[in-house]
Amino acid sequence: MPASHQHRYRVVDVFTQNALEGNPLAVFPDAAGIDERLMPKIARELNLSETVFVLPATRPECAAKIRIFTPGRELPFAGHPTVGAAFVLLDENLVPRQTPQFVLEEGIGPVAVRVDPGEQPLIWLRTPPITRGKTFDRAACAAALSVHLDDLLPIDPQLVSAGNPAVFVALQNPEAVDRTSIDLRGLQSILGPDAPPTCIFVFAPTPAGAYSRMFAPELGIIEDPATGSATGPLASFMLRHGLVPAAHSDRFISEQGTKMGRRSLLHVRIARIADAVHIDVGGYVTPLVEATMSLPAAP
């Protein structure tokens, strides 16, 4: 019988203070002994939006290196894995618990993390540089999302990315957001058959900030309960089009996952320094599961 090793992992619910809400995440706190060829298979086995493997950092300024996998592919950066992995590192004292800020090494590069202390800390990540791409026809997006053109705000949907590209579609109200649906054919009708894997992020402005949903069938995610990597670009898109509520011009909340029974609250903080705008995305984390997995020993 082949030799196997026991590898401990944890499941935490991210962007929530309530168990069984938010976005569940599996974290392997010590993945140095896991064959990297098994990592995508483990992610498919657990079948959560993402699974994180924590490894020793290769950059001196970083506390740890994390690799992030959806059931379909590896990601260079993702929000709820960054926040959830940071929580586990702090909770297990792999990063000293009173550390106010540290850096995680990800595929996209170093990602800064900041911690607001408390009995249940609020953990923030600094959104990597945001880029804007092409815009899309409103009528085509409405048809692909199974809503009426009048359900969309008079703003052209646009591709915006902080590492994981997403098409942002602004709708009139949360009720219209809840009526949207998309499949792979609908996604390809918007993007074209040769486009790289891309998410569709639909939202409506609200008095508190935004009400959101995200679809990513090409990544193996029919719908994501909370998408931290897209929330910084969401804030950028809303700022560009004057959609951030005046009462929350520096800090607001994106509510996501409610329609699928996984209500998530993603906190957004907008800092204007000189001519630059920095966007932090934060959330609470609720621990749920501790378990072990038997895996073949790495060669």
Side-chain angles (χ1 to χ4, degrees):
M1 185 172 179
S4 65
H5 287 168
Q6 299 288 310
H7 294 277
R8 189 172 62 89
Y9 70 94
R10 297 180 61 176
V11 177
V12 296
D13 288 335
V14 184
F15 295 120
T16 182
Q17 293 178 280
N18 302 314
L20 307 178
E21 295 184 3
N23 200 349
L25 174 77
V27 181
F28 287 78
D30 181 9
I34 299 177
D35 187 337
E36 67 174 4
R37 294 171 295 184
L38 295 178
M39 292 179 181
K41 295 182 178 181
I42 294 168
R44 286 194 294 272
E45 178 74 19
L46 294 174
N47 201 35
L48 300 174
S49 293
E50 282 102 354
T51 296
V52 168
F53 301 90
V54 180
L55 300 162
T58 64
R59 294 172 176 260
E61 73 274 23
C62 295
K65 176 179 180 178
I66 64 172
R67 295 185 66 178
I68 303 165
F69 291 82
T70 75
R73 65 190 287 258
E74 185 171 6
L75 299 178
F77 164 70
H80 102 276
T82 300
V83 171
F87 172 87
V88 171
L89 289 168
L90 290 164
D91 194 53
E92 302 205 351
N93 214 30
L94 298 172
V95 171
R97 293 183 182 179
Q98 301 306 314
T99 303
Q101 56 189 19
F102 54 95
V103 179
L104 292 177
E105 180 181 349
E106 303 190 23
I108 201 170
V111 177
V113 172
R114 185 168 49 80
V115 183
D116 288 352
E119 185 175 342
Q120 194 170 13
L122 179 59
I123 300 175
W124 298 88
L125 64 88
R126 172 62 51 89
T127 300
I130 295 169
T131 58
R132 298 183 181 89
K134 62 187 291 189
T135 58
F136 298 85
D137 181 73
R138 292 172 60 246
C141 290
L145 290 166
S146 302
V147 294
H148 298 294
L149 179 59
D150 289 346
D151 288 321
L152 273 63
L153 289 174
I155 296 170
D156 287 339
Q158 185 174 22
L159 185 72
V160 188
S161 177
N164 296 316
V167 176
F168 288 83
V169 185
L171 279 76
Q172 295 280 358
N173 50 55
E175 292 75 21
V177 172
D178 277 347
R179 289 198 304 273
T180 59
S181 64
I182 196 165
D183 56 19
L184 192 55
R185 181 176 296 179
L187 182 62
Q188 290 176 344
S189 73
I190 300 173
L191 302 173
D194 300 322
T198 303
C199 313
I200 300 294
F201 195 101
V202 298
F203 73 95
T206 67
Y211 180 85
S212 310
R213 296 177 71 189
M214 194 281 274
F215 307 99
E218 289 187 310
L219 301 179
I221 303 168
I222 302 302
E223 182 172 354
D224 195 29
T227 316
S229 64
T231 300
L234 167 68
S236 176
F237 185 87
M238 292 177 68
L239 283 169
R240 186 178 181 86
H241 294 286
L243 301 178
V244 176
H248 298 281
S249 60
D250 295 322
R251 185 164 175 173
F252 67 84
I253 290 175
S254 173
E255 178 182 343
Q256 190 180 335
T258 302
K259 173 68 173 177
M260 58 189 300
R262 302 280 323 190
R263 184 171 185 259
S264 306
L265 298 178
L266 295 89
H267 296 252
V268 176
R269 180 177 288 168
I270 301 167
R272 297 168 177 84
I273 303 173
D275 293 330
V277 175
H278 300 281
I279 300 174
D280 294 343
V281 177
Y284 295 99
V285 181
T286 300
L288 189 67
V289 174
E290 294 191 36
T292 56
M293 184 178 289
S294 297
L295 295 171

